[in-house]
Amino acid sequence: MTTVKIEGIIDHLDDEIKQALTTTLKEYFPNQDFSKNDLFNTFKRRLRCNTWEVVPDNLVKQK
């Protein structure tokens, strides 16, 4: 097993996650406006993970 810093990964992928959250909510709530930053910050606050998460080795590839 490998450990990863999930919060760092989320922050690293913030642009992609912001877009995915906004696109998903607009699909379900087309008449609502959402702030990408507010959505992302709320999502991060609601994530309940340890700073370091254990993941199976097959989900991690070293470069």
Side-chain angles (χ1 to χ4, degrees):
M1 297 292 244
T2 303
T3 57
V4 295
K5 191 171 188 178
I6 194 69
E7 290 178 27
I9 292 170
I10 298 291
D11 286 336
H12 180 75
L13 298 172
D14 67 340
D15 288 336
E16 293 88 346
I17 293 171
K18 285 177 186 178
Q19 187 60 48
L21 286 170
T22 303
T23 302
T24 300
L25 287 176
K26 285 189 178 288
E27 182 178 328
Y28 286 92
F29 306 101
N31 298 321
Q32 296 289 322
D33 288 321
F34 301 100
S35 162
K36 285 183 186 181
N37 292 329
D38 290 345
L39 285 172
F40 181 70
N41 291 332
T42 301
F43 172 74
K44 278 182 46 175
R45 274 196 315 275
R46 300 216 188 279
L47 269 178
R48 301 271 193 250
C49 358
N50 297 322
T51 300
W52 291 92
E53 293 290 333
V54 177
V55 296
D57 291 335
N58 66 326
L59 299 178
V60 179
K61 178 180 172 183
Q62 295 291 327
K63 282 191 115 182

